[in-house]
Amino acid sequence: EMRGARRGRRERCRVCVHALLRVLLAAAICAPLAVSGAERAASEANARSADADAMQLGRRSEVQVFRVAVVMCAWGRLELTRLVVAHYVSLNRAGEERGSGTIEVVPFVAVSENGVEEALRPLVDAGSVAIVLHENRPLGRKHNALLAAVRDSRQSFDAVVVVGSDDLLNFEYFKLLRVAFVDQRAHIVGVRDLHVLELRDLNFVHTAGYRYAGNSIAATMGLGRAYSRALLSALNWKLWEDALESRLDRSAAMRVLDSAPLIARTSTVLFAGAAVGVVAIDVKTSLLSDAGGNNIWSFEQLIAATKLPDARLSVFRQLEDPRAVIEKAYGNTVWDELLELRRKMLQNAKSVERGECGEHSEL
């Protein structure tokens, strides 16, 4: 009887164990299906939320104005400065014509003489340009005064683009800036390559950019380098050493790296250039120095510097048809105005040779 009782208990245990195993096996099979269903539900909910956010962002992008301050220092060459400033003002009209009217471009010009301010008077009176009166030297302090003016402006700007009074950037660059700063949350955007136009002989050359650079910021040209409002706020709206008279591009890069290292290291520097339709042009007038051309770097110096063994900048390549490149990137107006400026400068240069005129810095 005892042996029978033990056999009965073992049999009941075996049945219980088998039943338990069947339950566990069923749970093991069904659990992944339940989890998978939950994950699918969560994924679908997240997708719907992401779609809703994207649609909302799209609606905001349609109505929100992306404002860019283009800052430059001017000295002499009034006609060239007026041409450059008027070009940036015209980008607002170009944006409306191309369906990108939510981009607003406002030039801030630091001047040290009445001539430049008067040359820009119609644009200033129309509210299209902001004038900053400041002594010409040192250049670092003059540039920082521009940033202070942008900071204190009644308008809030999303980005600041740094150019010279002889530098041109086409509208494609500002479209790229909107994508970079709004959609991609970048803090620095720069031009990789560069075109240079020498007015007298209409020499037009192109360089692919720097061969090497110590950091990604310095790998971009100073012409057109753009900074986000958030980055400039982190730098207390000061990019350059006040006492500087040269190497301002390098100074700005080092300022970012030293004072905002986290932003500099975590924010990708985005590059623009001819490959994406951005045509940056430095207009040189140095061969007409007697007629008002005064460049920090002359055309000849720039070309010669790229041929040195340790040159950072890639060698320039001659382009045979400047008109085709410029009209494609800028339209007819800029090319026609450059030709008219060239005509005036050649005429005045001849007058200087004949001793008919004494001063032609207005060009």
Side-chain angles (χ1 to χ4, degrees):
E1 291 179 359
M2 292 178 63
R3 283 197 298 271
R6 284 196 293 271
R7 281 197 299 270
R9 287 195 297 271
R10 284 198 296 270
E11 180 64 21
R12 287 193 295 272
C13 288
R14 184 181 66 80
V15 172
C16 290
V17 169
H18 285 175
L20 179 60
L21 288 174
R22 283 195 298 270
V23 171
L24 293 175
L25 181 59
I29 294 172
C30 295
L33 296 177
V35 172
S36 178
E39 288 178 345
R40 276 199 303 272
S43 177
E44 291 172 358
N46 288 337
R48 288 192 297 270
S49 176
D51 289 342
D53 289 344
M55 292 175 63
Q56 184 64 27
L57 177 60
R59 284 194 291 269
R60 287 200 302 270
S61 297
E62 290 175 3
V63 298
Q64 183 181 13
V65 176
F66 177 68
R67 289 191 177 90
V68 183
V70 177
V71 300
M72 69 184 79
C73 291
W75 175 262
R77 298 179 299 174
L78 307 188
E79 288 292 335
L80 178 57
T81 300
R82 180 162 47 203
L83 184 157
V84 169
V85 173
H87 161 68
Y88 288 114
V89 171
S90 74
L91 294 182
N92 297 293
R93 184 174 65 253
E96 295 172 0
E97 293 172 354
R98 302 183 196 185
S100 302
T102 52
I103 300 176
E104 183 178 333
V105 180
V106 179
F108 282 70
V109 187
V111 302
S112 310
E113 52 187 345
N114 292 332
V116 177
E117 184 178 6
E118 290 306 312
L120 301 177
R121 178 56 57 192
L123 295 172
V124 174
D125 291 343
S128 304
V129 178
I131 293 293
V132 179
L133 295 175
H134 199 277
E135 59 184 351
N136 193 47
R137 299 187 184 281
L139 290 179
R141 185 175 294 129
K142 187 175 182 180
H143 278 79
N144 282 323
L146 284 165
L147 296 185
V150 175
R151 178 197 62 200
D152 298 337
S153 172
R154 288 180 295 178
Q155 292 179 306
S156 178
F157 290 89
D158 300 286
V160 172
V161 176
V162 182
V163 298
S165 60
D166 52 5
D167 295 336
L168 296 169
L169 290 160
N170 60 331
F171 185 66
E172 290 301 313
Y173 187 56
F174 294 88
K175 289 168 60 179
L176 183 145
L177 291 183
R178 181 185 177 92
V179 173
F181 287 121
V182 176
D183 300 335
Q184 301 179 14
R185 304 296 179 89
H187 288 289
I188 300 177
V189 179
V191 177
R192 172 75 82 176
D193 58 346
L194 176 68
H195 296 77
V196 179
L197 175 67
E198 202 292 310
L199 272 183
R200 188 186 72 177
D201 299 319
L202 294 181
N203 279 327
F204 194 50
V205 295
H206 173 263
T207 177
Y210 291 117
R211 294 171 175 169
Y212 60 89
N215 57 80
S216 58
I217 303 173
T220 65
M221 298 292 168
L223 187 170
R225 193 180 293 162
Y227 304 87
S228 72
R229 182 180 186 87
L231 175 57
L232 291 172
S233 295
L235 299 176
N236 294 319
W237 294 87
K238 183 175 182 180
L239 268 176
W240 301 276
E241 297 174 40
D242 281 332
L244 282 184
E245 291 288 355
S246 61
R247 306 192 74 180
L248 272 72
D249 300 340
R250 180 182 181 277
S251 173
M254 296 308 300
R255 168 76 170 155
V256 174
L257 292 169
D258 293 341
S259 302
L262 182 60
I263 293 178
R265 291 191 179 96
T266 59
S267 176
T268 302
V269 176
L270 299 180
F271 300 104
V276 291
V278 175
V279 178
I281 304 176
D282 183 4
V283 181
K284 294 296 185 184
T285 57
S286 58
L287 292 181
L288 299 172
S289 57
D290 289 336
N294 49 347
N295 302 109
I296 295 178
W297 279 81
S298 70
F299 182 78
E300 298 91 340
Q301 288 174 326
L302 199 59
I303 299 298
T306 63
K307 298 179 180 179
L308 298 174
D310 59 345
R312 285 186 61 218
L313 198 60
S314 299
V315 173
F316 282 96
R317 176 174 60 92
Q318 187 78 35
L319 300 180
E320 298 301 327
D321 193 354
R323 177 176 181 172
V325 175
I326 294 174
E327 286 191 345
K328 181 179 179 181
Y330 290 84
N332 299 337
T333 302
V334 169
W335 175 251
D336 291 342
E337 290 178 347
L338 286 169
L339 288 183
E340 176 61 17
L341 175 59
R342 174 178 180 269
R343 184 193 66 78
K344 290 180 180 179
M345 297 188 79
L346 288 172
Q347 181 179 0
N348 281 342
K350 291 178 181 178
S351 298
V352 169
E353 291 176 1
R354 294 193 298 265
E356 298 175 2
C357 300
E359 181 60 50
H360 300 276
S361 61
E362 69 274 8
L363 295 178

